[in-house]
Amino acid sequence: MAVWFVPWLGSLLLVSLWGPSAPASLLRRLGEHIQQFQESSALGLGLGPGAGALPKVGWLEQLLDPFNVSDRRSFLQRYWVNDQHWASQDGPIFLHLGGEGSLGPGSVMKGHPAALAPACGALVISLEHRFYGLSVPAGGLDMAQLRFLSSRHALADVVSARLALSRLFNVSSSSPWICFGGSYAGSLAAWARLKFPHLIFASVASSAPVRAVLDFSEYNDVVSRSLKSAAIGGSLECRAAVSAAFSEVERRLRTGGAAQAALRAELSACGSLSRAEDQAELLGALQALVGGAVQYDGQAGAPLSVRQLCGLLLGGGANRSRSTPYCGLRRAVQIVTHSLGQKCLSFSRAETVAQLRSTEPQVSGVGDRQWLYQTCTEFGFYVTCENPRCPFSQLPALPSQLDLCEQVFGLSPLSVAQAVAQTNSYYGGQTPGANQVLFVNGDTDPWHVLSVTQALGSSESALLIPSGSHCLDMAPERPSDSPSLRLGRRNIFQQLQTWLKLAKGSQGKGEV
């Protein structure tokens, strides 16, 4: 395997977030925006006068098809390195796995695992996921190429990267490798320990949705509950205001004519709203906006917190008596689209499909086509709103979500359902059976219901942070962090210390 390794000398590239904003895509753009904000802050803090503070970038030559020994095609996979805290060659290696997006230099400079590295004398490496960011194989994103995109391929990359980087940095054979990851990458971290326990000593899996599910209606169940939570600024009135705002949107859509035209302008919908499928795109994007306020509540870079959203919907301030929930929702749309640099909240369904069919890699690094392919062939994760408890419109429905798999990739609903079942069979769903894995979740995060929130044994532990949002434990520390978050991070560090002591003991017995 060829390895390229050079110092990072450029500035952080902030990606443009223009483009189609299907419901799932909006959530992912929010996540990308928050990640970039936090990475930019991390780099601002990490770039001191000494060159040793600079993260470094390297490239690994990886096999396109690691499961076929006769196929020698390869691609370059990007990784980042922070070696300023590495105390010795037999010190621990913290491997931060990338997920369904670009991975920047800030991934090894701030937040965990970087925050944990000084006390542990660890080398921190982050590995960008194949087919995302700049780790896209030559040849584009057509179906012939995308068949090499899966969690299993990503885990094979982890194995080969682990072996290649050990040689490159002359890592001792007794050094414990500990994986970290958040969201989908958190699942990868847990699965890396599950499938390759001889190479990965332990894993911290944050907000990891290890159970694949076709119809993810539970997402909006958690959103509804969180909107009522006083601990994060929600209330029964706020939950009712959300329903009222969506009812008003639906009323104007049904009315048509001037009311519909005004709605289109006020809520930044690009294209006509005359088609039912385009109305569903708008309603889905609005749901994603509210869901995003819950999912990323209280995080640096998030356009809206639950407290702020509720304030808008309930008309806080002097004009409360004249305000309406719809006006508050309209203001929320303006804030989010401005923060993301988007001119539109939603596009026509036809434009969304056309964009997803494009086989050219996206400059933005968000990877909409790639992630849709993974949901169609492995995970599902389709957020729906079809039961009476859902505070939104009764859209989107599952058939319209599955229809994207068929329109874009020619994959039938039956094949998607079978793929979800196979994923759970292969990894074990919410009972994966891996030891030395710590699952970390926040109970505000809608994704925690697909993760492991209770210990499954003495060595498969779980931590549920009250009022914690998606991957909040991975974010850089802030003075405003809640006591429960601070306690959660201390518990993660204590678990890490326990593992490292265990590794030391194993070294003496020659087991690592």
Side-chain angles (χ1 to χ4, degrees), residues 190-191 194 208-212 423-435 439 450-457 460:
W191 295 335
L194 172 69
V210 289
R211 171 167 63 96
T423 296
N424 288 328
S425 176
Y426 184 71
Y427 293 119
Q430 286 173 293
T431 54
N435 62 7
F439 290 94
L450 301 182
S451 189
V452 177
T453 56
Q454 294 183 327
L456 299 175
E460 193 169 20

Side-chain angles (χ1 to χ4, degrees), residues 135-183:
S135 300
V136 180
L141 302 174
D142 60 23
M143 287 291 283
Q145 288 273 101
L146 288 179
R147 63 193 178 95
F148 301 112
L149 170 60
S150 74
S151 59
R152 300 184 197 193
H153 286 90
L155 291 176
D157 292 339
V158 171
V159 169
S160 56
R162 152 73 166 92
L163 299 174
L165 294 169
S166 292
R167 292 192 297 269
L168 178 66
F169 292 101
N170 194 26
V171 175
S172 169
S173 60
S174 63
S175 293
W177 285 69
I178 299 178
C179 275
F180 294 78
S183 197

Side-chain angles (χ1 to χ4, degrees), residues 136-484:
V136 180
L141 302 174
D142 60 23
M143 287 291 283
Q145 288 273 101
L146 288 179
R147 63 193 178 95
F148 301 112
L149 170 60
S150 74
S151 59
R152 300 184 197 193
H153 286 90
L155 291 176
D157 292 339
V158 171
V159 169
S160 56
R162 152 73 166 92
L163 299 174
L165 294 169
S166 292
R167 292 192 297 269
L168 178 66
F169 292 101
N170 194 26
V171 175
S172 169
S173 60
S174 63
S175 293
W177 285 69
I178 299 178
C179 275
F180 294 78
S183 197
Y184 162 53
S187 298
L188 289 176
W191 295 335
R193 170 62 187 170
L194 172 69
K195 298 298 184 181
F196 306 104
H198 60 297
L199 296 174
I200 304 301
F201 187 77
S203 292
V204 178
S206 299
S207 300
V210 289
R211 171 167 63 96
V213 62
L214 195 65
D215 187 340
F216 190 18
S217 61
E218 296 155 294
Y219 183 98
N220 280 321
D221 291 343
V222 179
V223 170
S224 180
R225 184 170 72 243
S226 297
L227 288 170
K228 295 184 288 187
S229 171
I232 57 173
S235 63
L236 287 170
E237 292 80 9
C238 178
R239 164 66 171 74
V242 170
S243 293
F246 274 80
S247 294
E248 177 62 14
V249 172
E250 288 190 282
R251 186 193 69 78
R252 295 187 183 204
L253 286 172
R254 287 193 304 269
T255 302
Q260 192 178 95
L263 183 76
R264 175 188 166 195
E266 290 167 358
L267 298 183
S268 302
C270 285
S272 171
L273 291 176
S274 58
R275 292 176 178 269
E277 60 185 15
D278 298 336
Q279 295 178 14
E281 287 285 295
L282 173 62
L283 289 166
L286 290 170
Q287 288 180 37
L289 181 149
V290 176
V294 171
Q295 180 170 316
Y296 296 109
D297 179 65
Q299 299 203 27
L304 285 175
S305 65
V306 169
R307 190 176 304 277
Q308 290 166 329
L309 176 65
C310 290
L312 292 172
L313 292 168
L314 293 172
N319 294 325
R320 179 165 186 164
S321 61
R322 296 199 301 272
S323 182
T324 67
Y326 170 78
C327 291
L329 183 62
R330 176 185 174 186
R331 178 65 184 137
V333 168
Q334 293 170 344
I335 291 171
V336 170
T337 52
H338 176 75
S339 294
L340 299 185
Q342 292 185 189
K343 61 179 179 179
C344 305
L345 181 72
S346 74
F347 291 75
S348 72
R349 175 72 166 203
E351 186 169 347
T352 296
V353 171
Q355 289 287 340
L356 290 168
R357 282 176 173 167
S358 172
T359 59
E360 291 297 318
Q362 293 171 268
V363 176
S364 71
V366 177
D368 289 326
R369 177 175 168 85
Q370 299 97 299
W371 183 241
L372 176 64
Y373 179 80
Q374 287 197 262
T375 67
C376 295
T377 56
E378 293 191 87
F379 305 122
F381 294 154
Y382 302 119
V383 176
T384 63
C385 185
E386 299 172 275
N387 65 58
R389 294 186 307 241
C390 188
F392 310 115
S393 144
Q394 299 303 296
L395 292 170
L398 184 60
S400 68
Q401 307 256 29
L402 291 172
D403 192 47
L404 269 183
C405 296
E406 194 141 31
Q407 289 188 63
V408 177
F409 300 117
L411 298 170
S412 69
L414 178 60
S415 74
V416 180
Q418 290 173 336
V420 168
Q422 288 170 358
T423 296
N424 288 328
S425 176
Y426 184 71
Y427 293 119
Q430 286 173 293
T431 54
N435 62 7
Q436 288 171 211
V437 175
L438 173 62
F439 290 94
V440 185
N441 287 279
D443 66 4
T444 292
D445 177 22
W447 293 92
H448 84 271
V449 296
L450 301 182
S451 189
V452 177
T453 56
Q454 294 183 327
L456 299 175
S458 59
S459 61
E460 193 169 20
S461 49
L463 176 63
L464 187 63
I465 300 174
S467 303
S469 56
H470 193 62
C471 298
L472 183 61
D473 59 294
M474 299 188 73
E477 294 182 12
R478 295 196 295 168
S480 59
D481 289 340
S482 68
S484 61

Side-chain angles (χ1 to χ4, degrees), residues 2-8 54-60 79-83 123 125 165 168-169:
V3 180
W4 288 265
F5 186 61
V6 295
W8 176 74
L54 286 170
K56 304 176 182 70
V57 68
W59 300 87
L60 295 174
Y79 66 92
W80 299 95
V81 178
N82 176 359
D83 59 3
L123 174 67
I125 303 173
L165 294 169
L168 178 66
F169 292 101

